[in-house]
Amino acid sequence: MRERLHTRSIEFNGYRRDDGLWDIEAELRDLRHYDTLTPGKGLLPAGQPVHHMAITLTLNDEFVVQDVSAKMLSTPFGVCMEIQDSLKPLVGARIGYGWRKAISERIGGVQSCTHLRELLVNMATAALQTIPIWHVQQRKKQGLPPSDERPHYLGQCHSWRLDGPVVLQHHPRFHQPQTTPPQQETP
């Protein structure tokens, strides 16, 4: 027997905008499945969110942050609302290598919210699932050859390892066969 006590749900969505930019949205909800006495709100009935927050991250094709906004829809303390505009220092940062570091340096610690930072880290994956994949699909629809650029996901997981069969089949020019050290002869 077990009793469900807590649910955290996170959803990411990617949108192409009419102005050529991209919106990546993230939403987080924490629910308790029992009535909870909270220090900031008193009695929180079962099913009411302890946390409910959302972020919209606007990017260009190079993954550079053009704008960012957060909504603190439900928080355990009223002072949590004070950091609703805390993400603005991320404007100009680029998703890619160093994204986590940029988040930490620009809005780390008490400058923002742990939960917003957690969402931002994972919004990078949603952006990478949205923007380049859309461009690849558009090239395919137009009958154009694949881009000369190495796909960002190569070498980032077991299936897309550079010496593996998936890369050999789908991106053969980026395939790097595994090299084995020469066998030493035994005397």
Side-chain angles (χ1 to χ4, degrees), residues 81-98:
M81 300 298 206
E82 294 173 6
I83 54 85
Q84 198 159 240
D85 295 326
S86 67
L87 306 184
K88 292 296 183 189
L90 288 173
V91 172
R94 184 178 182 279
I95 286 180
Y97 181 77

Side-chain angles (χ1 to χ4, degrees), residues 54-185:
I55 300 173
T56 300
L57 193 60
T58 302
L59 306 171
N60 65 14
D61 277 338
E62 289 75 38
F63 298 95
V64 176
V65 177
Q66 305 299 299
D67 195 16
V68 59
S69 63
K71 294 179 193 163
M72 306 299 276
L73 303 162
S74 182
T75 61
F77 303 102
V79 296
C80 295
M81 300 298 206
E82 294 173 6
I83 54 85
Q84 198 159 240
D85 295 326
S86 67
L87 306 184
K88 292 296 183 189
L90 288 173
V91 172
R94 184 178 182 279
I95 286 180
Y97 181 77
W99 176 239
R100 286 177 192 250
K101 184 177 180 182
I103 292 168
S104 180
E105 288 176 351
R106 295 178 186 216
I107 60 166
V110 297
Q111 298 175 74
S112 189
C113 167
T114 298
H115 305 304
L116 293 179
R117 287 190 298 271
E118 290 171 359
L119 285 175
L120 284 162
V121 166
N122 292 298
M123 288 175 84
T125 303
L128 291 167
Q129 289 288 329
T130 300
I131 299 168
I133 303 303
W134 185 86
H135 285 301
V136 166
Q137 293 302 312
Q138 293 307 302
R139 290 184 69 81
K140 285 181 180 181
K141 279 184 182 178
Q142 297 167 11
L144 298 172
S147 167
D148 290 337
E149 291 182 31
R150 177 179 151 166
H152 68 277
Y153 47 83
L154 296 188
Q156 299 301 310
C157 81
H158 180 76
S159 292
W160 288 111
R161 67 189 184 278
L162 297 177
D163 64 348
V166 175
V167 171
L168 179 62
Q169 179 181 357
H170 296 283
H171 297 287
R173 64 194 180 119
F174 298 109
H175 185 257
Q176 297 175 3
Q178 188 175 31
T179 57
T180 56
Q183 297 270 341
Q184 292 186 0
E185 292 184 29

